[in-house]
Amino acid sequence: MAFTRRRALLGLAAFSLGACRSKQTPPSPVDGLRWKDLSFAPEEQRALVLAAPSSRPLPVLVALHGRGESGRGLEVGAFAWRDDYGLDRIDRRLHAPPLTGAELEGFFRADRLAQMNDSLAKHPYEGLVVACPYTPVVADRSEKGAVPFGRFVTDVLLPRVRAEAKASSDRAATGIDGVSMGGRLALFVGFAHPEIFGAVGALQPALKPEEAPVFAKLARAAMDKQPFALRLVSSDDDPFLPAVRALSAALAEAQVPHQLVVTPGPHDYAWNRGPGGAEMLLWHERVLRGLPAP
């Protein structure tokens, strides 16, 4: 199924609007209590890490940002989930449920919101260590092109984050996710390393419908090596929704267990600050603790 002109224009407008808005607001200082700012000089990399104090080692989630921040420097990209996508706010709200439609920026369906709040009522949210590295634009969009970045994530970023945040080192307590371009990379890196990640997710991943069989084949091969939890999230006005649905169908045909969630909303920063961030944090925190996903 091809993208409609309207959906494509909506996606381009969202990227442009988000980029313009971000340029007007330079990254704010790191408070040092909930966030750690990590630099990786040899790799020319940087990551902002949500690492709130905890009495026990928390699960680790690697969260990749979208294309809009990639061309504006390491700091803008590394700070995107905190400053542009409102991750700190939604993390705090998950600690103090119930969630309301306002926390989801108005992009919600009543039944889905009820499922999320029911999960929070049964099992209080305990949080995650969330590593937010700068996500590069990869010229080679195939799985091979993602290998160098994947190596940085698995061999450099995760060991450093676990040491700095005193986080869990268990595979079952390690996940990766991302939005748009970052969602595409999260699938490639996650499928390449099932021995590292117990959960793999993607928010509005930047895919083409004709790529669905390729990603499904990678997922099937990875699942055969070591099973992991897998989820795709999109929205009604996401220009990538047809591709996400095509991937979900290809995964089902390949008998790859996964979850597909489609919320209201556009492909824009407002969606990231609402259902995007909330769905990502809650799902990974549940799955990486061995709890049922809402």
Side-chain angles (χ1 to χ4, degrees):
M1 184 187 299
F3 295 147
T4 65
R5 179 177 176 81
R6 175 177 173 273
R7 283 181 179 267
L9 290 174
L10 277 171
L12 290 173
F15 288 134
S16 299
L17 177 61
C20 291
R21 184 161 53 232
S22 297
K23 286 179 181 178
Q24 298 171 1
T25 307
S28 55
V30 177
D31 60 25
L33 297 177
R34 286 175 55 83
W35 294 90
K36 295 179 182 292
D37 185 2
L38 307 183
S39 294
F40 304 85
E43 289 78 18
E44 296 183 354
Q45 255 289 0
R46 191 167 179 177
L48 196 63
V49 181
L50 174 61
S54 174
S55 60
R56 66 177 185 85
L58 292 176
V60 178
L61 168 64
V62 177
L64 309 181
H65 62 76
R67 175 67 177 82
E69 293 74 44
S70 294
R72 292 183 286 124
L74 296 180
E75 184 177 45
V76 172
F79 284 43
W81 272 105
R82 190 196 68 171
D83 292 354
D84 293 314
Y85 306 169
L87 192 72
D88 195 72
R89 176 186 65 86
I90 201 67
D91 178 74
R92 291 178 187 273
R93 287 298 296 117
L94 288 168
H95 278 285
L99 292 175
T100 69
E103 273 89 55
L104 302 183
E105 299 288 322
F107 303 126
F108 71 98
R109 293 187 174 90
D111 58 343
R112 181 59 185 163
L113 181 59
Q115 289 173 348
M116 296 171 79
N117 280 324
D118 181 62
S119 177
L120 289 167
K122 290 178 178 176
H123 304 283
Y125 178 81
E126 295 185 1
L128 299 160
V129 170
V130 187
C132 308
Y134 170 81
T135 307
V137 177
V138 179
D140 180 353
R141 289 170 54 83
S142 72
E143 67 272 22
K144 292 182 180 178
V147 169
F149 179 68
R151 189 177 299 118
F152 163 74
V153 169
T154 60
D155 297 354
V156 180
L157 176 68
L158 278 172
R160 174 89 178 271
V161 168
R162 285 165 171 159
E164 295 270 353
K166 296 180 174 57
S168 174
S169 60
D170 291 345
R171 170 194 177 267
T174 306
I176 188 168
D177 212 313
V179 63
S180 194
M181 180 194 76
R184 180 187 182 89
L185 272 175
L187 293 177
F188 275 142
V189 176
F191 294 165
H193 296 283
E195 79 285 1
I196 300 292
F197 299 104
V200 178
L203 308 170
Q204 301 181 330
L207 310 175
K208 296 178 181 179
E210 58 268 28
E211 294 178 310
V214 173
F215 279 88
K217 183 178 179 180
L218 293 173
R220 180 67 269 170
M223 200 73 73
D224 288 343
K225 292 178 181 177
Q226 201 155 359
F228 53 91
L230 174 61
R231 191 176 73 154
L232 307 172
V233 183
S234 185
S235 63
D236 293 336
D237 291 316
D238 175 19
F240 298 113
L241 177 59
V244 174
R245 289 195 183 281
L247 175 55
S248 179
L251 290 169
E253 185 175 355
Q255 299 184 349
V256 176
H258 70 287
Q259 182 182 14
L260 171 64
V261 173
V262 180
T263 78
H267 191 107
D268 198 355
Y269 283 35
W271 188 85
N272 297 345
R273 290 191 294 265
E279 287 281 1
M280 181 181 75
L281 288 182
L282 182 58
W283 184 75
H284 282 277
E285 194 267 353
R286 307 281 91 164
V287 169
L288 298 179
R289 286 176 57 198
L291 299 173

